Amino acid sequence: MPNENQFQIEYFINKICSCEQVSPELIVKTQSIISDPEYITTCLESTLNDLSENARLMSDVDLLVFYIKHWKNYRLMCDALYTSCLSLNLQRIQYNFSQEEKQIENISVTSQRLWETILIKSLFSRVTKACLNAIDEHRNNRLNLDPNIIKDVLNIYSDENLYILIKQDKINRTITDIYIDCFESQYLQNAQKFFTDRKNHLRTDELIEYLISISNYLHNELTFAKRYLPAERSTYSDLTDILEHLFFFGNIFHNVWNDLELLVEQENYFQIANFYKAINQVPRIKNVVVELIETEFYHSGR
């Protein structure tokens, strides 16, 4: 094969592997010079291996974006590659079922298998860690994270096609649900660990200040989590329960009530407003306090 043709084919393969839109003009131009399907396969494998190595040097967020892009587009890219070779099939063989034709017919299957083995499966564990790391970094205010990136990754985890590929991890532990086994369990553990540490740095003797702090924690965490956690899963509800039980421990409700009653007796409505503001973003304690106010203060005419 002339060097010029090799260069053109390598350019075409690089374009395919970038998961960018391939123009019909480029496909037609490549069709006219493809003469060896095995060279296409070899070139594709080499390019995907280079991408896999480069991906291991990416930041967590860049890796997630890279993985999402390839998951969404690699089948389309394989179809474009097949289309390029299909022209060779039609022009050179013309309905003769030769060995060469079989190679051409299988190029789509072969390219998908290479893509799945070299990128999708090999980077899966790293992507899972990157997803959890990015969320942790955001909690620590060290990363401005787009929740749609996490949402896209979690959508991939619920895809039956990925489950077929990732039935067993590297330590031969059978995976029954990728989302639960590879994300949800560790995600909830990480959240509990992080906010337990935050709670240990708060003073519970200053009740309003304590409520304001945890209200901000819960509001920020739950508002952000709601933007990426799948609605059909129980993760958001489980996260809410973990955080509320973590922060509202012991006789916290009794203390809230005592402070409220004292403020009412003092007719300190400014502080009552501040108190309500402090709990307004925490549904569990807000609902209880509102009920107490309605049943005790309103009904007694206070």
Side-chain angles (χ1 to χ4, degrees):
M1 181 184 299
N3 290 336
E4 183 179 346
N5 288 352
Q6 285 186 354
F7 176 80
Q8 177 62 36
I9 290 174
E10 288 170 5
Y11 173 79
F12 177 68
I13 293 295
N14 282 324
K15 192 75 173 176
I16 290 284
C17 290
S18 70
C19 285
E20 297 177 1
Q21 185 175 2
V22 181
S23 68
E25 293 79 13
L26 180 59
I27 292 178
V28 170
K29 184 177 181 180
T30 307
Q31 286 173 346
S32 64
I33 61 173
I34 290 179
S35 59
D36 184 1
E38 289 188 4
Y39 179 74
I40 296 292
T41 302
T42 301
C43 189
L44 176 66
E45 184 173 8
S46 175
T47 305
L48 290 174
N49 278 319
D50 288 343
L51 285 174
S52 179
E53 288 301 313
N54 292 337
R56 298 179 190 281
L57 302 176
M58 293 179 181
S59 68
D60 289 331
V61 173
D62 287 344
L63 176 63
L64 297 179
V65 172
F66 174 85
Y67 198 81
I68 292 165
K69 183 179 182 180
H70 279 265
W71 177 260
K72 288 182 176 180
N73 294 293
Y74 83 93
R75 295 181 188 87
L76 294 175
M77 297 299 102
C78 292
D79 288 345
L81 187 60
Y82 175 71
T83 301
S84 298
C85 291
L86 183 61
S87 175
L88 173 65
N89 178 40
L90 296 174
Q91 292 174 14
R92 289 177 175 268
I93 303 175
Q94 297 182 348
Y95 312 109
N96 293 322
F97 296 99
S98 66
Q99 179 62 32
E100 186 177 6
E101 184 183 26
K102 292 179 182 178
Q103 288 178 309
I104 295 169
E105 287 180 342
N106 289 334
I107 192 71
S108 179
V109 176
T110 302
S111 58
Q112 284 195 39
R113 176 180 53 78
L114 287 172
W115 222 301
E116 291 164 354
T117 301
I118 297 172
L119 288 185
I120 305 299
K121 293 176 69 173
S122 70
L123 294 177
F124 173 76
S125 296
R126 167 89 197 280
V127 166
T128 298
K129 292 179 182 177
C131 187
L132 293 167
N133 287 343
I135 294 171
D136 288 343
E137 288 294 292
H138 179 267
R139 284 194 182 114
N140 282 292
N141 295 317
R142 291 197 292 259
L143 179 66
N144 184 17
L145 179 62
D146 180 356
N148 289 319
I149 294 175
I150 305 300
K151 185 176 182 178
D152 284 346
V153 173
L154 299 186
N155 285 337
I156 294 173
Y157 284 2
S158 298
D159 193 315
E160 183 66 20
N161 292 314
L162 182 66
Y163 175 72
I164 293 172
L165 292 175
I166 315 290
K167 286 187 176 179
Q168 288 191 328
D169 61 18
K170 291 183 179 179
I171 59 173
N172 295 319
R173 175 175 61 87
T174 300
I175 295 175
T176 57
D177 187 317
I178 291 178
Y179 177 84
I180 293 176
D181 296 340
C182 300
F183 174 78
E184 184 184 62
S185 299
Q186 190 62 52
Y187 169 78
L188 294 175
Q189 289 179 34
N190 290 358
Q192 183 159 18
K193 182 177 182 298
F194 177 84
F195 286 105
T196 296
D197 181 67
R198 286 292 183 271
K199 186 193 76 172
N200 293 337
H201 289 83
L202 295 176
R203 293 183 56 185
T204 57
D205 54 335
E206 297 290 343
L207 189 56
I208 290 184
E209 286 75 11
Y210 175 77
L211 290 173
I212 290 174
S213 296
I214 62 174
S215 177
N216 290 332
Y217 285 153
L218 268 66
H219 175 72
N220 292 338
E221 176 71 12
L222 295 177
T223 299
F224 188 70
K226 199 168 189 176
R227 296 173 65 186
Y228 62 80
L229 290 176
E232 67 274 13
R233 299 280 189 163
S234 64
T235 319
Y236 182 82
S237 176
D238 294 341
L239 176 65
T240 303
D241 288 343
I242 286 173
L243 297 183
E244 290 186 343
H245 284 92
L246 178 65
F247 285 112
F248 302 122
F249 55 90
N251 59 352
I252 188 73
F253 288 114
H254 179 72
N255 294 341
V256 167
W257 174 248
N258 286 341
D259 278 28
L260 264 178
E261 194 168 41
L262 179 61
L263 292 173
V264 171
E265 289 177 356
Q266 296 172 346
E267 297 186 356
N268 191 341
Y269 302 119
F270 178 77
Q271 276 296 83
I272 292 175
N274 287 339
F275 200 100
Y276 183 77
K277 184 178 179 180
I279 64 168
N280 188 40
Q281 299 181 116
V282 188
R284 182 166 178 254
I285 193 169
K286 170 190 171 182
N287 295 339
V288 171
V289 170
V290 168
E291 183 179 352
L292 288 172
I293 292 174
E294 289 177 345
T295 56
E296 297 296 330
F297 293 162
Y298 291 171
H299 293 170
S300 64
R302 296 168 65 184

